[in-house]
Amino acid sequence: MKFIHNIFDRIEPSFTKGGKYEKYYAVFEMFDTFFRQPSSQTYSASHVRDGIDLKRIMITVWLCTFPVMFWGMYNVGFQALTAISQLGLEPTGWRTAITGMAGYDPNSIWACFVYGAMQFLPIYAVTFAVGILWEIIFAVVRGHEVNEGFFVTSVLFALSLPPDVPLWQVALGISFGVVVAKEVFGGTGKNFLNPALAGRAFLYFAYPAYMSGDAVWTAVDGFSGATPLGLAAAGVSPDQFVNAYGQVITWTDAFLGNMQGSIGEVSTLAILIGAVGLLWTKIASWRVIAGSVIGLVVTAFIFNLIGGENPMMSLAPHWHLVIGGFMFGAVFMATDPVSAAHTNTGRWCYGLLIGFMTVVVRVVNPAFPEGIMLAILFANLFAPLFDYFVKQANIKRQTARRLRHVSQK
C-alpha cells in the first residue's frame, strides 16, 4: 500500500493552506483518512490513545449491516423471481438483461441474489452519491472536514426503503435527511434526529403509496402483495398470514426473513447477527436494545389483556418482534450515539419509550401500521430530557451525600 501513501503525499501540498486547491481540503481529507490513518495523534498523558477513530467506528457499523444487506438482496430477488415463475409475469426493465444471464429460477441462490442486487445497488448508489454531495458542499462552505457519520446514514437509509422505490424519491429523501435533519443544525454530532429516519419519514408521509402500498414490496411491475404487518393491520390473524403466492407465512419464516418488506427489515436473524457485532465492539448500547424489546413486549401484552375490536390489539408480542421494521430500528437506528440518550438510566428510559410507542402507533394508526420509525423520532426528542433529569438526580444525590458528610464532621 506504499504507492497509495506516495500518491496522497504528492498531492497533499495542493490542498493544504496556500495550495492551489486549498478550499477543497475537506474533499482531500475525506479520501486521505479513509485510506490512511489520520495524521493527527494525541501524545499527552492526559488522553487515552486508541487505534480506532470515528471513521473506523462507522466502518464497523457498516460491516455489521452486511448480514442484513446480503439477505435483503437475496430476499428481494427470491420474492420477485417467485412471482415471475408462479404467476407467469414477464420480467421488465434494464435489470433483466443482467439478471437473465443467471436465469429466473427462484430456486437458484445466485439468480435471486443477482436480481436483488440489481434492485438494491442503484438505490444505495443514488443514496450515497446525493448524500455525500451534500456533505461535501456543506464541508467546503463551512471549511471543516467531511463528517464520517454519513457513511452509516447512507446504508441505513437505503436498507429502510422498499425495493421498488423510484430513484428520484431516494435522492429527495436522503437530501431531506442530510440537509434538514442534520446540516442545518450544525452537522454530525449536533443533530437531534436520526438523519436516515428523518429522510425515510419524509418519504413516508409525502409519498405514502410508494412507501406503504402493496405494489412496492415486490420488484416486479404489475404485481402487488401485502406484508405480514399490513395483513395484521387489516384484521388477518397470524395463523392466516399468506403471501401473494398463497403460501403460509409462519413465525419462523418471519424470523428468518422469508417474506416481503423493506430491504433491510425482513430478517430478524440477520439483524441479530449484526447486533452481536455492535454489542461486542461496544459501539451500540445494549440498554437501548433491551429497553426497546421490553417496552414492546410489555405494551403488546397489556393490549392483549385489554382486547377490543382493533385487530392489532390482539397481536401477540412475539409477532410484533419479527414483523415490520422493529428489530432493524431497535438495533441500527435507536442506538445512534448522537440522537440517543447518553446516560445509562436515560438509555433504559429511551429504549422503553421506543418499544411502548411502536406498539401504540401500530394499534391506533392502522392506516400506517409501521410504528418503529415514528417511535424512534419521538424518542429522539425526549433523549436530552431523559439525560437532563438523570444528571439532575445525580447532582442532588451527590449534594445530599456531601451535606451528610459535612454534618457528621
Side-chain angles (χ1 to χ4, degrees):
M1 301 295 287
K2 186 177 180 180
F3 74 98
I4 295 180
H5 286 272
N6 293 337
I7 292 174
F8 281 104
D9 288 340
R10 186 167 60 253
I11 66 176
E12 183 173 9
S14 299
F15 292 90
T16 54
K17 189 173 182 179
K20 183 179 180 180
Y21 305 109
E22 176 184 351
K23 68 177 182 177
Y24 300 111
Y25 175 76
V27 181
F28 168 80
E29 188 275 342
M30 176 182 69
F31 289 102
D32 183 28
T33 55
F34 180 83
F35 288 102
R36 304 195 297 177
Q37 183 176 349
S39 58
S40 56
Q41 299 180 14
T42 300
Y43 294 97
S44 172
S46 60
H47 294 82
V48 176
R49 297 190 293 275
D50 200 335
I52 193 168
D53 60 7
L54 185 56
K55 274 191 173 65
R56 273 64 189 178
I57 291 176
M58 295 305 170
I59 290 175
T60 301
V61 177
W62 180 65
L63 291 174
C64 288
T65 66
F66 273 27
V68 178
M69 185 189 307
F70 288 125
W71 178 264
M73 286 189 283
Y74 165 78
N75 186 64
V76 167
F78 176 78
Q79 300 295 334
L81 296 185
T82 301
I84 291 172
S85 64
Q86 292 195 6
L87 303 180
L89 299 175
E90 289 294 330
T92 59
W94 64 269
R95 301 174 182 86
T96 60
I98 299 176
T99 310
M101 300 176 185
Y104 296 101
D105 181 9
N107 296 315
S108 169
I109 295 177
W110 176 245
C112 293
F113 184 81
V114 171
Y115 193 99
M118 291 301 99
Q119 293 292 136
F120 172 71
L121 293 180
I123 295 174
Y124 188 33
V126 171
T127 299
F128 195 86
V130 174
I132 203 66
L133 177 62
W134 283 116
E135 292 278 357
I136 292 173
I137 290 173
F138 277 91
V140 170
V141 171
R142 290 172 174 166
H144 61 57
E145 299 175 353
V146 176
N147 293 316
E148 297 87 348
F150 180 73
F151 198 67
V152 170
T153 299
S154 62
V155 69
L156 295 183
F157 176 78
L159 289 172
S160 71
L161 298 175
D164 207 30
V165 60
L167 295 181
W168 65 268
Q169 288 187 14
V170 176
L172 189 60
I174 195 61
S175 296
F176 182 91
V178 172
V179 177
V180 178
K182 184 172 74 168
E183 292 299 340
V184 296
F185 294 102
T188 301
K190 299 179 181 178
N191 55 287
F192 64 93
L193 294 176
N194 184 295
L197 272 181
R200 177 67 165 79
F202 172 78
L203 294 178
Y204 190 72
F205 290 108
Y207 308 99
Y210 288 95
M211 291 293 111
S212 57
D214 291 349
V216 304
W217 307 116
T218 305
V220 180
D221 293 340
F223 178 82
S224 64
T227 64
L229 186 59
L231 293 172
V236 179
S237 62
D239 58 348
Q240 296 178 334
F241 285 168
V242 294
N243 57 27
Y245 330 116
Q247 299 170 337
V248 176
I249 302 175
T250 65
W251 186 90
T252 302
D253 289 329
F255 176 77
L256 296 177
N258 185 21
M259 61 180 179
Q260 294 176 311
S262 294
I263 300 170
E265 73 176 22
V266 289
S267 176
T268 302
L269 176 61
I271 293 168
L272 292 178
I273 293 174
V276 171
L278 293 177
L279 296 176
W280 181 66
T281 56
K282 298 183 179 180
I283 292 176
S285 169
W286 66 268
R287 294 176 177 85
V288 171
I289 300 175
S292 300
V293 172
I294 293 172
L296 178 136
V297 170
V298 172
T299 307
F301 181 72
I302 293 174
F303 275 118
N304 289 170
L305 293 178
I306 296 174
E309 296 183 0
N310 189 329
M312 290 297 289
M313 296 182 70
S314 302
L315 189 64
H318 65 279
W319 273 103
H320 273 286
L321 289 171
V322 297
I323 62 176
F326 172 75
M327 286 306 301
F328 181 74
V331 171
F332 291 104
M333 302 286 198
T335 55
D336 174 22
V338 177
S339 57
H342 293 88
T343 60
N344 287 338
T345 303
R347 286 167 176 160
W348 277 110
C349 298
Y350 172 79
L352 290 170
L353 178 61
I354 290 174
F356 168 76
M357 287 301 302
T358 298
V359 179
V360 169
V361 173
R362 288 180 174 183
V363 169
V364 304
N365 190 24
F368 297 98
E370 181 52 87
I372 183 63
M373 175 183 63
L374 299 179
I376 295 176
L377 292 174
F378 184 77
N380 286 163
L381 301 177
F382 283 87
L385 193 62
F386 290 143
D387 288 337
Y388 172 79
F389 283 122
V390 170
K391 291 177 182 178
Q392 290 300 311
N394 289 339
I395 292 173
K396 289 181 180 179
R397 285 194 295 269
Q398 292 173 3
T399 302
R401 285 197 298 267
R402 203 177 297 117
L403 290 176
R404 286 197 300 269
H405 180 70
V406 173
S407 62
Q408 289 174 359
K409 287 186 176 181

